[in-house]
Amino acid sequence: MTGSSALPGIATARAYRREWLRPDITAGLVLTALLIPAGMGYAEAAGLPAYAGLYATIVPLLAYAVVGPSKILVLGPDSSLAPLIAAAVLPLAVANDPESALVFAGVLGVLVGVILLVGGFLRLGFVTELLSKPIRLGYLNAIALVVIVGQLP
């Protein structure tokens, strides 16, 4: 694996053109305006402090900018994960101690990341093809509707 294939963001930065700067800054500001409040809200819905959602929104985006293979993919927090994280973390956390819930959520995030890395190395992406295309499209359309309805107020 060459350096540019391991870190596609570096290759993109080297080939970056000045005329892309204004649209990229505009897109970044819009994305920030949408993702930061959503991330903080989802963190609170999962029983974590709001600042955890702030970090969980910003840090993965920066990491993806360096190692992500797509220049146009938009990443962000997902509301469907909040109840799953809450169900896994809150029973283990000490009552009225958001820091213990934060530690367990961090461990959960690292474990999920390790599982995804192992799945990537084992080339298990074909498993997504086991879900029918209408189910995958329906899920993606539902996410788009949730985002649109969430921004109406």
Side-chain angles (χ1 to χ4, degrees):
M1 187 179 277
T2 65
S4 63
S5 66
L7 300 173
I10 302 298
T12 300
R14 287 186 181 147
Y16 198 81
R17 290 191 260 166
R18 187 179 176 110
E19 61 265 14
W20 297 346
L21 187 60
R22 186 171 182 189
D24 283 351
I25 287 175
T26 303
L29 290 173
V30 169
L31 191 62
T32 300
L34 293 173
L35 291 182
I36 288 180
M40 293 171 74
Y42 295 153
E44 287 190 345
L48 303 171
Y51 66 85
L54 182 65
Y55 292 128
T57 300
I58 294 172
V59 174
L61 288 174
L62 294 175
Y64 189 82
V66 176
V67 299
S70 174
K71 295 180 231 174
I72 58 172
L73 184 64
V74 176
L75 300 174
D78 187 289
S79 62
S80 64
L81 295 178
L84 297 174
I85 293 169
V89 168
L90 293 181
L92 302 173
V94 177
N96 298 324
D97 183 18
E99 298 301 319
S100 67
L102 196 56
V103 169
F104 285 118
V107 170
L108 177 64
V110 169
L111 289 174
V112 169
V114 168
I115 291 168
L116 290 174
L117 284 173
V118 169
F121 285 125
L122 295 176
R123 305 231 183 253
L124 296 177
F126 71 91
V127 173
T128 61
E129 297 299 323
L130 298 176
L131 296 172
S132 69
K133 190 170 184 174
I135 289 175
R136 288 182 282 155
L137 289 175
Y139 182 76
L140 292 174
N141 287 327
I143 290 173
L145 285 174
V146 166
V147 169
I148 290 168
V149 170
Q151 295 306 311
L152 288 177

